[in-house]
Amino acid sequence: MLNDEQAHARHFDGARYCVLVDSPTEPTAILDVSRHGIGVEFLDEHLRSRLVYRFITSESGELFLRTILFRKFRGGSEEPAYVTAYIFDVGGEVTVRQERMLPTRHSRITQVAFALENNIEAYPAFGRYERLLNFSRRFAAVFGQAPESDNDADAGVLTRI
């Protein structure tokens, strides 16, 4: 474990460090910070990674939201029932890969345009991660729902408008 001074020094140097949000033993999120980018992983009550944002650092020093990974679990299972990945391109196109893992594997890939400016964030000052910890982000594109979910009404994936 790093103390604040050690983590601040790593931030200033661009070296990698992690931040456990809310609790060191039962965090609600984990930030993986380096000069090359920042990963934000939101955890559920079972400490499973249910939502991941991956930002890459642009040449101008801003962060570009490159990837979103959403997992839907059933009960206490460690294996996700549904996985949706959004991969954003700096040209304004997003590839959406939706996979139903259980009871049988089924996947679908689509590509749509999106508004690039919604994926840009300022690189945060040390300890100022609030904007990156925004669980619900909005995008100027509409994405589909998960493949058929065996009547599990709560099995939809992130839908952003």
Side-chain angles (χ1 to χ4, degrees):
M1 296 290 272
L2 301 173
N3 62 34
D4 281 350
E5 185 177 297
Q6 293 167 318
H8 187 269
R10 285 178 163 272
H11 187 90
F12 182 77
D13 291 340
R16 186 175 181 198
Y17 66 98
C18 290
V19 177
L20 302 176
V21 178
D22 291 330
S23 165
T25 57
E26 294 184 9
T28 58
I30 300 171
L31 285 95
D32 185 355
V33 183
S34 80
R35 82 168 46 98
H36 303 292
I38 298 177
V40 182
E41 204 167 335
F42 293 93
L43 307 176
D44 69 8
E45 66 277 4
H46 301 287
L47 300 178
R48 299 174 299 197
S49 175
R50 75 182 255 214
L51 177 64
V52 177
Y53 293 132
R54 296 269 183 239
F55 296 87
I56 58 172
T57 307
S58 68
E59 289 182 20
S60 66
E62 294 178 308
L63 292 174
F64 174 72
L65 179 57
R66 174 79 168 124
T67 307
I68 297 174
L69 182 63
F70 176 78
R71 295 178 185 104
K72 173 71 180 169
F73 297 90
R74 285 200 178 142
S77 173
E78 291 296 316
E79 297 299 317
Y82 301 91
V83 178
T84 302
Y86 303 93
I87 303 162
F88 299 92
D89 182 272
V90 293
E93 187 170 85
V94 59
T95 300
V96 183
R97 181 182 180 121
Q98 299 170 309
E99 291 187 75
R100 178 181 66 196
M101 312 303 270
L102 302 171
T104 59
R105 189 174 183 143
H106 177 269
S107 64
R108 176 174 59 190
I109 298 174
T110 56
Q111 291 183 311
V112 295
F114 73 99
L116 189 62
E117 65 272 6
N118 293 329
N119 282 46
I120 305 296
E121 290 283 347
Y123 196 93
F126 177 74
R128 304 301 309 205
Y129 312 115
E130 297 85 7
R131 289 186 53 87
L132 298 176
L133 290 168
N134 180 8
F135 184 85
S136 299
R137 295 182 167 270
R138 290 281 192 216
F139 303 102
V142 178
F143 303 122
Q145 292 294 316
E148 291 302 315
S149 62
D150 299 331
N151 297 322
D152 182 358
D154 192 34
V157 299
L158 239 56
T159 301
R160 295 290 167 234
I161 298 173

